[in-house]
Amino acid sequence: MMMSRQRHILLMLAALVLPYSVRAFFHRPAIPTFVRHELNGIAAPMTVAMNGIHPSFSSTAPALASVVTGKWIPFRPARISLTSSSLMLSLRGGNIGVGAAALPMALLSPSLPASIAAALLPTCLGLWRTGYAVSYGYGGAMATAGALAICSGGAGGPVATSHAAALVFYGLRLCLFLLRRETTTPVEIHQMTRRDASMGDRLKRAPVVVGCSVLYFLMAAPLRITARTSLSSSASLLASSPASLVSLAAAFSGFGLAAWGDGHKSAVKAVRGPDTLVTTGPFRVFRHPNYTGEIIGWTASLSVAMFEAVRHYRQLSGASAAVFVRFAAPWIVASVLGWAGMCGVLAGEATAGLEKKQKKKYGDTPEYKAWIGSSWSGPMITSSS
């Protein structure tokens, strides 16, 4: 038992350093064309070039020579040479302040290999135990995606930062809950049964691991949209778009509801036994608050990205608008696919499946019948069979 706890502690420590490791090994910021286009509209002609893995900016605009703030990632020094008519910046990370506005390195948000690694590496825990791909792997991928956006400077504005923080909150909370439940409750409750498997058997799980990681990658896609639009976002969260603020509040509320549901159900079953029908706490209103909360949270996460994309697009014109559309379109499609995939799983296999199990197990009891009449299942997809 002690050895098992030590392994779990090491697992969580590894999860904490994973975002930094992914960034260090996979993050190679690629400067997209739209940076040049939009800065043309803000200040003056500006060219962007690459110097190894360090982005190099060159401008003849005196306005860009006013650098008022610099926030550099630890152990990532920056070199700045400044003259009266030009500004050269060679960076390894962080934010650049230009005049009164910040030009966030969100424009250089996590590279595609880094984002793929953030989704895949935690999910590879499924090669150890199959259930880990959809538990620790799920939470770890979401937390890593959000932390990677923040660590790499990909969450420069208040909306983008809050959006990334919502994913970190959800993923970290889920992993900590799963760890506590697995190490303090009987296997009948946490259901993470250990099965011996050969290397060949483990490799047969690869399709499941890859499939889950693709879904997690798509679910994190909205972060790229909010990071991209942070160039034109307000410096204050309270001054941001009301629609974005409502969506952010809904995201945290949904993920908070899921946390409350998980914690309450686990606590009740730990005291009364695994066969207990939980109808107290959030279960008075929601029969499956963890699944309903997640659906609310992921719907709100997509909404934040959509509202920010529309707001940002309305501020653009001409070439800048066209470039933004070319950037945003594939990530919007990816975001919708991720949302639809996860909500389909939650409303179908998760909610509808648990409804059937509970009806079969408790359907004849007065408590269950009264509970069904006074509570909501949440969004549910039922099969025709």
Side-chain angles (χ1 to χ4, degrees):
M1 182 66 175
M2 182 61 67
M3 185 62 67
S4 176
R5 290 191 178 184
Q6 290 175 348
R7 284 198 299 267
H8 282 95
I9 291 173
L10 291 174
L11 179 64
M12 293 307 299
L13 290 176
L16 291 176
V17 302
L18 184 59
Y20 298 93
S21 301
V22 169
R23 180 182 183 276
F25 287 100
F26 293 95
H27 183 59
R28 297 294 183 268
I31 314 256
T33 306
F34 60 72
V35 177
R36 182 173 64 254
H37 280 283
E38 293 211 4
L39 290 178
N40 281 342
I42 294 175
M46 183 176 189
T47 59
V48 183
M50 294 299 293
N51 176 20
I53 65 170
H54 313 303
S56 176
F57 293 80
S58 174
S59 173
T60 57
L64 289 178
S66 176
V67 178
V68 297
T69 182
K71 180 182 178 183
W72 317 112
I73 302 298
F75 310 112
R76 295 291 188 274
R79 298 191 306 275
I80 302 177
S81 60
L82 178 64
T83 67
S84 59
S85 60
S86 66
L87 176 64
M88 293 292 296
L89 297 163
S90 180
L91 310 175
R92 295 189 184 181
N95 298 331
I96 312 171
V98 179
L103 300 182
M105 301 303 283
L107 303 175
L108 322 173
S109 56
S111 65
L112 192 58
S115 298
I116 293 173
L120 179 60
L121 294 182
T123 315
C124 284
L125 289 171
L127 298 176
W128 180 14
R129 294 188 187 179
T130 305
Y132 284 180
V134 294
S135 54
Y136 293 105
Y138 174 27
M142 296 299 98
T144 302
L148 183 63
I150 295 172
C151 293
S152 63
V159 172
T161 301
S162 300
H163 192 188
L167 268 68
V168 173
F169 165 71
Y170 173 77
L172 189 58
R173 189 284 307 176
L174 178 60
C175 287
L176 291 174
F177 164 73
L178 292 169
L179 178 64
R180 181 180 181 278
R181 187 180 67 172
E182 190 171 352
T183 56
T184 61
T185 61
V187 68
E188 292 80 11
I189 294 179
H190 63 71
Q191 297 182 343
M192 292 293 184
T193 307
R194 180 178 180 179
R195 295 184 178 89
D196 294 330
S198 65
M199 181 59 67
D201 292 333
R202 295 182 189 279
L203 291 178
K204 290 179 182 178
R205 303 170 187 170
V208 175
V209 170
V210 173
C212 290
S213 63
V214 169
L215 177 60
Y216 303 154
F217 172 83
L218 296 175
M219 291 170 62
L223 291 181
R224 285 187 168 269
I225 300 174
T226 51
R228 170 64 186 84
T229 59
S230 64
L231 178 65
S232 63
S233 65
S234 171
S236 170
L237 181 62
L238 295 180
S240 301
S241 162
S244 297
L245 290 177
V246 171
S247 297
L248 283 173
F252 279 100
S253 298
F255 293 148
L257 175 63
W260 185 16
D262 280 338
H264 184 79
K265 186 174 185 178
S266 180
V268 171
K269 285 183 174 289
V271 174
R272 300 180 182 177
D275 294 328
T276 301
L277 177 64
V278 181
T279 60
T280 57
F283 291 86
R284 292 182 184 275
V285 178
F286 305 100
R287 292 203 289 279
H288 316 290
N290 46 351
Y291 300 146
T292 302
E294 285 192 46
I295 291 174
I296 293 172
W298 295 124
T299 301
S301 175
L302 175 66
S303 299
V304 173
M306 297 300 101
F307 287 132
E308 285 296 287
V310 171
R311 176 195 60 76
H312 185 72
Y313 177 78
R314 288 177 175 175
Q315 299 179 6
L316 304 176
S317 62
S320 295
V323 170
F324 174 71
V325 170
R326 287 197 297 271
F327 161 82
W331 291 111
I332 288 175
V333 172
S335 300
V336 172
L337 289 175
W339 168 81
M342 178 50 69
C343 288
V345 171
L346 292 170
E349 182 179 350
T351 299
L354 189 53
E355 281 279 300
K356 292 179 181 178
K357 290 180 181 179
Q358 289 178 335
K359 184 176 182 179
K360 181 178 180 180
K361 191 172 185 177
Y362 309 106
D364 295 332
T365 64
E367 182 185 17
Y368 175 79
K369 294 177 180 179
W371 182 51
I372 288 292
S374 61
S375 61
W376 180 45
S377 68
M380 182 169 61
I381 301 174
T382 57
S383 61
S384 57
S385 58

